[in-house]
C-alpha cells in the first residue's frame, strides 16, 4: 500500500473516531444530568458547541493558508472559556436544585 493511501485511511479513520468520541461524550453529558434545567442547559450548550466546532473545521478546509492558522486564536481561547462557563452554570443549577 502506498503512503498516500495509508494517509487517507488514517485521516478518515481519525475523523470517524473523533466524531464518535464527541457524540458519545455529548450523549453522556446529557444523560448524566440531574434535572430538567440541567438537561436543557446541556442540550443547548451541546448544540452551540457542536455548531462552533463544525464551523471551525469547515473554515479550516475552506480558508487559504495564512487565514486558517489565525482561526486557532479565537478557537483556542473561546472553546475553553465556553466549557468553563458551561461547567459553572451546571454547578449553579445543581446547587439551586439541591437546596430546594
Amino acid at each position: 500500500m502506498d503512503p498516500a493511501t495509508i494517509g487517507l485511511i488514517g485521516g478518515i479513520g481519525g475523523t470517524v473516531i473523533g466524531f464518535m468520541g464527541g457524540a458519545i461524550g455529548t450523549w453522556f453529558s446529557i444523560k448524566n444530568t440531574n434535572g430538567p434545567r440541567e438537561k436543557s442547559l446541556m442540550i443547548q450548550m451541546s448544540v452551540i458547541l457542536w455548531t462552533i466546532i463544525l464551523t471551525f473545521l469547515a473554515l479550516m478546509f475552506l480558508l487559504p493558508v495564512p487565514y486558517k492558522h489565525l482561526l486557532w486564536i479565537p478557537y483556542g481561547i473561546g472553546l475553553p472559556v465556553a466549557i468553563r462557563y458551561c461547567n459553572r452554570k451546571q454547578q449553579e443549577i445543581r446547587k439551586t436544585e439541591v437546596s430546594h
Side-chain angles (χ1 to χ4, degrees):
M1 205 177 314
D2 66 10
T5 304
I6 293 171
L8 183 63
I9 291 170
I12 292 170
T15 301
V16 169
I17 291 169
F19 276 106
M20 286 175 44
I24 291 168
T26 301
W27 183 73
F28 276 112
S29 292
I30 295 168
K31 180 182 178 287
N32 292 327
T33 56
N34 293 331
R37 286 180 58 219
E38 191 177 340
K39 184 173 279 198
S40 175
L41 170 73
M42 294 310 295
I43 291 170
Q44 180 183 11
M45 290 306 294
S46 296
V47 169
I48 291 168
L49 290 174
W50 270 97
T51 302
I52 289 169
I53 292 167
L54 291 174
T55 301
F56 168 76
L57 292 173
L59 289 172
M60 286 295 288
F61 282 106
L62 297 173
L63 290 176
V65 170
Y67 303 109
K68 73 170 58 179
H69 298 301
L70 294 174
L71 286 175
W72 284 99
I73 297 168
Y75 182 78
I77 294 169
L79 187 62
V81 168
I83 291 169
R84 190 169 168 114
Y85 168 80
C86 181
N87 289 340
R88 285 185 178 169
K89 194 76 171 164
Q90 184 180 21
Q91 287 302 317
E92 283 178 26
I93 291 170
R94 285 187 177 181
K95 284 180 185 177
T96 59
E97 286 184 351
V98 169
S99 64
H100 286 104

